[in-house]
Amino acid sequence: MTAIKPRRIFHGTPFIVVSMLGEGCAATATQVLVLRECLAIFYGSELTVGVLLFFWLVWTGLGSLVAGRVLSRLLRQKPRRSNLLGVLVSLYGVLIPATLLWIRASRGIYGLPLGEMVSFIRMVLMTALMTAPVCALFGVFFGSAWALYASAGDTDSTHAPYRLYAYEGLGATLGGMWLYVFLFFRGPLLYGAVFLGALLTLLGIGRLMADRGRNPLWRFLVTVTAAAAVCGLGLLEEPSRRWQWGSQVVAVKDTPYRNLALRRDGIQESLMADGLWLFAYPDPQSAEEAVHLTLLQHSWPQRILMLGAVSPEELVEACRYTSVERIDVVDPDMTVQLFAELQRKHPEKNFGQESLLEVLFQDPHWTLTVPWSHLFDGEGCRVSLLKADMRRYVESTRRSYDVVFLNAGDPISLGTNRFFTKEFFHSLVGVLRPGGLVSFHVSGAEDMLGAAQATYFRAMVLTFQSVFPHWVVYPGARLRVVGSLQAHALTEDYRVLSGRLVAHRINSVYVRPDRLENLLDPVRLAYFRSLAFSETAIRWNRDLDPVGFLAATAVWATPFFHGVNNLVEPLFESPIPLQVGIVGVCATTLVFAGIGLLRRSFMAPLAVAMAVGSMGAAQMAFQILLLFLYQVAAGALYAHLTVMVTACMAGLSAGALIVHRYQGALERVFGTFLAAHGLTAVALSVFACLSAEFSALGGLWPLWGVLAVCAALACFGDMAGGAHFALGCLVAERVGWSSSVVGGFLYGADMLGAAVAAAVTPLILVPAFGVQAVFYLYAVFLFFVLGFSALSLRQV
């Protein structure tokens, strides 16, 4: 095989292939980078993921449809199409870092207040605007590249245009691998975007300059200047962080799990996680209430487990108890130590205040033990910081504790919801010593709760009570619930709790006897117990039936949509029956079939488009559900999101290449196309039966084992999708479509089907039906589309 000379990369088919590899690489990396930036703006909820994926796929699909149907006709001359690809590649290189900067500046542009929830409508509009340029441009590029590649192979039967689909998947795989290595070294996200943008700009400008005479030095200077201009956007890293978090921001850290920002207002420092306040320092009132209201319920706490982010003051307050021998803090982000590191890196902004953190952390390792005896009177206390997923630690540790603090926040995401399920509460029983206590806190109020808040509180408490039958609640902006397995382990007598303060020689400033008397007022406690024991039944929050996520979402949406609680309240009692969903799927399929029957000439093209679109929807739903199951089992979704995306893209590329390899042996393309469709439906049905077992066993496997299994499933699932798309292109050509048009049109149908699934699966179907039922629904959907396609294509 003759090697391609470097200068030939900018001409003809080699440039199309290289640009498709580069665009696919950049598209996957950009999708993950934009997703992480949007999660930092919109508090890390799957609502953001669903909305962003929806618009990402919609704009890409529409761009591909436009390019496939319009540009192939307008630009009939191949040199103009090649130059168009060069322009598109260059623009994409500029848009990658520009989009990230736009997202960071969105707080100031759209007037978003720090630490507050953004309305759903505003989130949708902002996401639609921020993703439109970069996604639509990639769709136009794909459709144009397909048309140009197909026209270049008019005289070559082996020049299958759908190979571009495989090249795009291969490029996306390389982009995922590169991004995983980049994130491993914790480089600023903007630097990664600038690096990709500069490479694409070099490629695009090189194509535009390839036909301009014989002056290589001039072409070289132009391309380098353009790339340097893109790289200059990297100088906006620090200014863009001030756009994002205000002028008081001190430092920003992107961890594998979320975005953390340290702000300093006067002498108070605040740490924010994904746009929400995590804790402030100093804030003695919050620290005292967070610690003492729980520890005072135990007569003599010795071993304490804190799950999640804690402030340094909370550790200080816990160590004031003379009985405490050990405190284990389990936090995958090591938030307290990261807080100390950010402080040390910026001492010039410390305003001269003395930081306890400089005393606490003297060991540079992630896992350390610090003596506290020189800080407090009485016996020494030892604190251990453990970098681990909270759920996996609880399910695997052999240690036992007197008190367990669950600091997971509200379950406004499916990832957080896994810490409020019946399965997780059961696992907490295994780490408790006799008479042990467990506490958690959620949003609430000191007196009266609204309808949505009451439903949310009831869902949380009833699930908790199914494991810990005895509990007491402390009203407040954060409703703190403490539970126990023993009947007389808890008390609502403020005098008993006040006596324990004296016994531990704790002179608390804010948690005083009068404050305890106010919180434990019998009338107030009776009100909250009446909410928990309402006659309205609510099903338990489970791993595969996230009622807690649904209830927390309703609380968030109520200020913006006052009737949302009435709409979703029936779902709290029982999920929608699977039969209702199947009827809806059948009705939807029959509507599209009826449209095709109105004009029989459209039946075959409509059948192919429906089959490809439904497969795209099923693929996207499978990816989302698989990511959800991985989150439940491993708890490291955003740390390994790039691995899962890379596996999906590798599967797409491999599937398309397999079809190309054995294209000559496919005598019955129609049958193979329908067989791939049917086998995918069967695989979804089988996985629906095994999803519960997979979720349960995943917690027992090592993290790398869970990741390997999920990545393999993602790869094989998308391999079927890639093969199905390639077969669909062959079928479309045999029913009369032009090869220069079929790619852009079917790619658009695939993207639009995936977009619908990205929106409805996490936001509607999973809360309404549960994970297992959703697998079945998509399997039934594929079966019905398969029947319609078989009847339509049989007549061709």
Side-chain angles (χ1 to χ4, degrees):
M1 182 176 179
T2 303
I4 299 177
K5 297 181 180 180
R7 66 180 181 179
R8 294 292 300 167
I9 292 178
F10 299 104
H11 297 273
T13 301
F15 174 72
I16 301 175
V17 174
V18 172
S19 62
M20 182 61 73
L21 288 171
E23 290 278 284
C25 175
T28 298
T30 304
Q31 186 182 65
V32 177
L33 293 175
V34 169
L35 180 60
R36 289 174 66 96
E37 290 290 334
C38 285
L39 287 172
I41 296 292
F42 301 123
Y43 48 87
S45 172
E46 274 78 10
L47 291 171
T48 305
V49 178
V51 172
L52 187 142
L53 289 179
F54 172 77
F55 284 111
W56 191 282
L57 296 169
V58 164
W59 296 134
T60 303
L62 291 178
S64 179
L65 289 173
V66 170
R69 302 292 293 182
V70 178
L71 293 180
S72 61
R73 298 178 181 178
L74 295 179
L75 301 176
R76 299 183 182 278
Q77 298 180 5
K78 295 179 182 179
R80 290 186 177 181
R81 293 185 187 177
S82 297
N83 290 334
L84 174 64
L85 289 187
V87 172
L88 294 176
V89 171
S90 301
L91 287 178
Y92 198 82
V94 176
L95 279 178
I96 294 174
T99 301
L100 262 67
L101 292 173
W102 185 3
I103 296 173
R104 292 182 181 181
S106 60
R107 285 197 177 275
I109 295 174
Y110 302 104
L112 303 181
L114 281 173
E116 294 185 15
M117 295 290 190
V118 181
S119 69
F120 183 75
I121 293 180
R122 178 175 288 191
M123 182 181 71
V124 170
L125 293 177
M126 290 175 57
T127 305
L129 291 174
M130 290 185 296
T131 55
V134 67
C135 297
L137 186 66
F138 178 78
V140 171
F141 166 82
F142 186 90
S144 303
W146 185 288
L148 183 59
Y149 192 77
S151 63
D154 289 340
T155 59
D156 185 1
S157 60
T158 63
H159 197 87
Y162 61 79
R163 290 177 62 183
L164 281 184
Y165 191 73
Y167 293 144
E168 191 252 345
L170 178 59
T173 303
L174 297 176
M177 294 171 62
W178 172 84
L179 185 61
Y180 185 77
V181 174
F182 177 80
L183 293 178
F184 178 79
F185 289 104
R186 307 291 187 269
L189 297 184
L190 183 60
Y191 290 175
V194 165
F195 175 80
L196 290 174
L199 291 182
L200 287 182
T201 303
L202 283 172
L203 181 62
I205 297 295
R207 170 67 194 97
L208 295 175
M209 303 302 297
D211 298 329
R212 290 187 171 274
R214 296 175 174 271
N215 193 339
L217 178 60
W218 182 66
R219 294 199 301 267
F220 173 77
L221 292 177
V222 170
T223 53
V224 170
T225 302
V230 176
C231 291
L233 296 176
L235 300 176
L236 298 176
E237 168 66 21
E238 290 192 9
S240 65
R241 292 304 190 182
R242 291 193 292 271
W243 305 342
Q244 188 176 19
W245 303 118
S247 58
Q248 292 81 16
V249 66
V250 175
V252 179
K253 181 76 172 181
D254 285 301
T255 75
Y257 302 93
R258 52 188 174 179
N259 173 274
L260 297 174
L262 177 65
R263 288 170 48 89
R264 186 169 287 138
D265 301 298
I267 63 171
Q268 189 174 57
E269 298 168 322
S270 302
L271 193 66
M272 303 185 69
D274 287 338
L276 295 179
W277 300 106
L278 200 59
F279 60 77
Y281 172 78
D283 185 7
Q285 181 176 359
S286 298
E288 287 187 11
E289 292 184 352
V291 172
H292 298 317
L293 295 182
T294 296
L295 288 184
L296 290 177
Q297 286 290 339
H298 198 284
S299 59
W300 198 251
Q302 295 177 307
R303 292 181 174 267
I304 300 173
L305 174 63
M306 292 184 170
L307 301 173
V310 296
S311 72
E313 287 181 300
E314 291 178 28
L315 294 177
V316 171
E317 294 298 325
C319 289
R320 294 174 66 183
Y321 285 76
T322 57
S323 61
V324 172
E325 299 174 354
R326 182 184 182 90
I327 300 177
D328 289 339
V329 180
V330 179
D331 182 7
D333 278 330
M334 301 292 288
T335 308
V336 178
Q337 182 167 337
L338 180 60
F339 188 51
E341 291 176 354
L342 294 178
Q343 273 196 330
R344 284 199 295 265
K345 289 181 180 179
H346 302 275
E348 72 282 358
K349 300 179 181 180
N350 201 30
F351 301 105
Q353 66 171 325
E354 182 180 357
S355 176
L356 286 173
L357 298 173
E358 292 297 333
V359 182
L360 302 184
F361 304 108
Q362 302 170 359
D363 192 322
H365 298 92
W366 282 112
T367 303
L368 56 123
T369 302
V370 182
W372 293 66
S373 56
H374 62 287
L375 289 179
F376 308 101
D377 296 332
E379 300 179 6
C381 174
R382 303 185 69 84
V383 179
S384 177
L385 303 180
L386 306 173
K387 185 180 182 181
D389 175 66
M390 300 182 295
R391 179 159 178 164
R392 293 182 68 83
Y393 174 81
V394 169
E395 293 172 345
S396 61
T397 186
R398 296 182 179 179
R399 297 177 180 174
S400 58
Y401 301 91
D402 296 299
V403 180
V404 176
F405 289 84
L406 178 58
N407 298 320
D410 291 302
I412 57 174
S413 69
L414 294 173
T416 308
N417 185 76
R418 62 196 284 262
F419 299 113
F420 295 90
T421 61
K422 184 177 181 179
E423 290 84 353
F424 180 65
F425 289 146
H426 264 301
S427 64
L428 288 176
V429 174
V431 301
L432 288 181
R433 304 172 82 180
L437 308 179
V438 173
S439 76
F440 71 92
H441 56 88
V442 293
S443 298
E446 288 204 8
D447 295 308
M448 301 293 292
L449 300 180
Q453 284 183 315
T455 304
Y456 172 45
F457 173 72
R458 186 157 59 247
M460 295 292 97
V461 169
L462 290 182
T463 304
F464 185 68
Q465 183 182 285
S466 67
V467 180
F468 298 97
H470 308 285
W471 56 274
V472 63
V473 59
Y474 291 100
R478 302 295 299 177
L479 290 170
R480 187 169 300 276
V481 181
V482 185
S484 175
L485 298 172
Q486 283 72 34
H488 303 291
L490 302 172
T491 179
E492 295 179 357
D493 189 344
Y494 76 94
R495 289 180 290 267
V496 174
L497 302 182
S498 301
R500 290 173 180 172
L501 279 174
V502 175
H504 289 285
R505 302 196 299 272
I506 296 176
N507 186 19
S508 179
V509 177
Y510 297 95
V511 180
R512 305 185 307 270
D514 57 335
R515 176 59 174 164
L516 292 172
E517 182 180 10
N518 183 48
L519 290 175
L520 297 176
D521 179 74
V523 177
R524 181 178 294 178
L525 295 183
Y527 164 72
F528 283 97
R529 289 197 175 273
S530 68
L531 294 179
F533 294 105
S534 174
E535 295 180 358
T536 304
I538 293 182
R539 67 186 196 268
W540 293 328
N541 188 30
R542 308 296 296 265
D543 284 341
L544 302 184
D545 189 13
V547 179
F549 169 70
L550 179 63
T553 303
V555 172
W556 162 71
T558 296
F560 314 109
F561 305 100
H562 297 293
V564 67
N565 190 64
N566 296 330
L567 294 176
V568 301
E569 191 170 9
L571 298 179
F572 297 130
E573 301 177 16
S574 61
I576 297 176
L578 180 61
Q579 294 83 349
V580 176
I582 292 176
V583 171
V585 166
C586 299
T588 303
T589 309
L590 292 177
V591 167
F592 283 101
I595 296 174
L597 291 174
L598 294 177
R599 295 191 62 178
R600 302 184 68 86
S601 60
F602 287 166
M603 286 191 66
L606 178 65
V608 178
M610 279 189 61
V612 172
S614 64
M615 193 69 166
Q619 276 184 271
M620 177 55 63
F622 178 74
Q623 293 173 19
I624 290 174
L625 295 174
L626 188 62
L627 291 175
F628 175 51
L629 292 176
Y630 177 75
Q631 179 77 310
V632 172
L637 175 59
Y638 294 111
H640 299 140
L641 181 62
T642 52
V643 176
M644 302 293 288
V645 172
T646 301
C648 292
M649 295 299 103
L652 287 175
S653 179
L657 290 176
I658 288 173
V659 171
H660 174 70
R661 172 66 176 81
Y662 296 100
Q663 177 183 354
L666 294 176
E667 298 179 358
R668 302 184 61 183
V669 176
F670 295 94
T672 309
F673 175 67
L674 298 176
H677 199 93
L679 289 175
T680 303
V682 172
L684 286 176
S685 302
V686 172
F687 202 79
C689 300
L690 301 177
S691 57
E693 287 73 12
F694 175 82
S695 176
L697 292 176
L700 303 177
W701 299 342
L703 182 60
W704 64 266
V706 180
L707 180 62
V709 171
C710 288
L713 289 173
C715 182
F716 284 115
D718 279 57
M719 188 182 297
H724 185 270
F725 181 85
L727 291 168
C729 294
L730 295 176
V731 171
E733 292 179 6
R734 296 194 182 187
V735 299
W737 286 16
S738 170
S739 61
S740 62
V741 175
V742 62
F745 188 80
L746 289 185
Y747 189 74
D750 184 40
M751 292 293 101
L752 293 179
V756 174
V760 302
T761 301
L763 308 183
I764 299 175
L765 296 182
V766 171
F769 294 95
V771 172
Q772 286 182 302
V774 174
F775 276 114
Y776 285 120
L777 288 178
Y778 278 101
V780 171
F781 181 49
L782 289 183
F783 278 127
F784 267 82
V785 175
L786 174 64
F788 170 67
S789 301
L791 291 176
S792 303
L793 296 176
R794 187 180 60 178
Q795 302 175 7
V796 178

